[in-house]
Amino acid sequence: MPDTSTTAPVRVVTEPLPQPLYSPKRVLHDFGGTSIANGIIGIVFSATGPVAVILAAGLAGGLSQAQLASWLFGAFFVNGILTITASWLYRQPLAFFWTIPGTVVVGASLEHLPWEQVLGAFFATGALILLLGLTGWVTPIMAALPMPIVMAMVAGVFLHFGTDLVEAPAHDAVIALPMIAAFVALSVFAKVGRFVPPVLGALIVGVVVILATGRFNSVGDAHGWLAHPMLTTPTWSWQAMIELVVPLAITVVVVQNGQGIAVLRAAGHQPPIGTATVACGVFSLVNAAVGCVSTCLTGPTNALLTASGERARQYTAGIFCGLLAVVFGLFAPTFVAMMLGTPMAFIVTLGGLAMLKALQGAFVTAFGGKFAFGALIAFLVTISDVELLNIGGAFWGLVFGVIASRILERGDYPDRVAISRTR
């Protein structure tokens, strides 16, 4: 039986495909207005705030426009192919995109690691995720990493998005304040927000303000409108391996996949946990070749895809979302050029607004129950951005958080061990 926990959502065996496979005629029959609407909303969410997170992290790390476009090509085109295939084969919405907390971790590492070494860590992370999915080693490994401590590390990684959002009005109030006001208004008036998500509303208002004030400056694009993935030879570095591989694998297997599985189960689906983990490993390796961070089963997008409509037909929303992602990935250079032509306050504000819910959820999970002291240590070490042995703070946050919890919160572990033995 597959593991039904959300803290260690992986098993060795990949799940069998439902039979018979749906024909194209059956898929077209199941398509409807609700599927199209949910698919559009899902891709709009993924292509707004989360993309701003990629751009913010990449720009902070000194990536070029061409490197960012290649990253987005993998994030959307490659993952879109996986989304289409998985949603069709398993008859449920299975949206795969990229790990947002992993992206933020990478952005911090790019400030002191060469891009080629980061790519080497991407390949190693994909191989590790694949190995965990095929062998089942993930279960005992994840049992040693309580979710509150992991989410405290994530909160520490996310924190600067919140502080940058607070600082944005001081640097460019003309851009930031209208976007924040639109986000708040659409959040307050939930009926309108159902049709125009708050992050999308903030994006629209920001674009209007930029155009009205003449603040858009085309940065040019020597690579044209269509995607030209960059294939860069990775460099193997122990520093990059230790600093990035474990945190990236954890954000995929525990944080992101755990959220995606929980969302789909709440909607009445039974996501193929083992298959999803193996697929994340395989497609993370493919994405590493074009400079994209690791693939994951996303939570927010799957929540949007299952927000309405008949459960048995919701898989078509996943297929449509994947098709739109493929198109978006093909035109990644155009989108990057447009985004980089906007003021920095636009990207910072959009990314910060998109991360607010995730930051809130990370704090609630980290400090809402057991392992709170270990979570506190993990959070403090992570935000300190301390480097020991040339390894960044996210890794050490996990290490010291678990050590502190094991020493000082031993009473929080017996129940966890007992539960894991009964699975």
Side-chain angles (χ1 to χ4, degrees), residues 266-322:
H269 296 285
Q270 292 298 321
I273 300 170
T275 302
T277 305
V278 172
C280 286
V282 172
F283 277 78
S284 292
L285 291 171
V286 176
N287 272 327
V290 296
C292 176
V293 74
S294 306
T295 296
C296 69
L297 182 67
T298 174
T301 303
N302 280 309
L304 295 171
L305 297 179
T306 57
S308 59
E310 299 177 32
R311 184 190 308 161
R313 301 172 64 182
Q314 288 175 340
Y315 76 97
T316 58
I319 292 175
F320 192 63
C321 180

Side-chain angles (χ1 to χ4, degrees), residues 130-177:
L130 179 59
L131 182 66
L132 293 176
L134 292 174
T135 64
W137 292 349
V138 67
T139 302
I141 292 175
M142 293 307 142
L145 292 173
M147 181 62 76
I149 295 177
V150 173
M151 294 308 291
M153 180 271 287
V154 172
V157 169
F158 283 176
L159 186 63
H160 80 88
F161 281 91
T163 56
D164 288 349
L165 175 63
V166 173
E167 295 173 0
H171 297 295
D172 198 336
V174 174
I175 300 295
L177 287 179

Side-chain angles (χ1 to χ4, degrees), residues 2-168:
D3 191 353
T4 58
S5 70
T6 57
T7 55
V10 184
R11 281 291 185 184
V12 181
V13 181
T14 56
E15 293 76 5
L17 298 176
Q19 296 296 331
L21 296 180
Y22 281 171
S23 66
K25 182 178 180 180
R26 172 61 188 269
V27 173
L28 288 174
H29 175 269
D30 287 343
F31 260 106
T34 301
S35 299
I36 293 173
N38 288 349
I40 292 174
I41 293 172
I43 194 63
V44 165
F45 168 82
S46 300
T48 50
V51 167
V53 174
I54 289 179
L55 295 180
L59 291 175
L63 297 187
S64 68
Q65 182 179 342
Q67 289 170 322
L68 289 171
S70 187
W71 187 330
L72 287 186
F73 171 80
F76 286 94
F77 183 89
V78 175
N79 291 330
I81 296 295
L82 175 57
T83 297
I84 295 169
T85 305
S87 298
W88 168 57
L89 292 177
Y90 282 95
R91 304 178 190 173
Q92 56 186 297
L94 294 170
F96 291 84
F97 282 107
W98 67 94
T99 165
I100 295 177
T103 298
V104 181
V105 170
V106 169
S109 296
L110 280 172
E111 296 181 8
H112 57 269
L113 290 177
W115 177 235
E116 293 77 11
Q117 293 184 13
V118 172
L119 290 182
F122 285 176
F123 278 104
T125 301
L128 177 59
I129 295 171
L130 179 59
L131 182 66
L132 293 176
L134 292 174
T135 64
W137 292 349
V138 67
T139 302
I141 292 175
M142 293 307 142
L145 292 173
M147 181 62 76
I149 295 177
V150 173
M151 294 308 291
M153 180 271 287
V154 172
V157 169
F158 283 176
L159 186 63
H160 80 88
F161 281 91
T163 56
D164 288 349
L165 175 63
V166 173
E167 295 173 0

Side-chain angles (χ1 to χ4, degrees), residues 177-190 198-199 201-202 353 356:
L177 287 179
M179 294 177 67
I180 295 173
F183 180 88
V184 172
L186 289 171
S187 299
V188 171
F189 298 101
V199 174
L353 292 173
L356 280 179

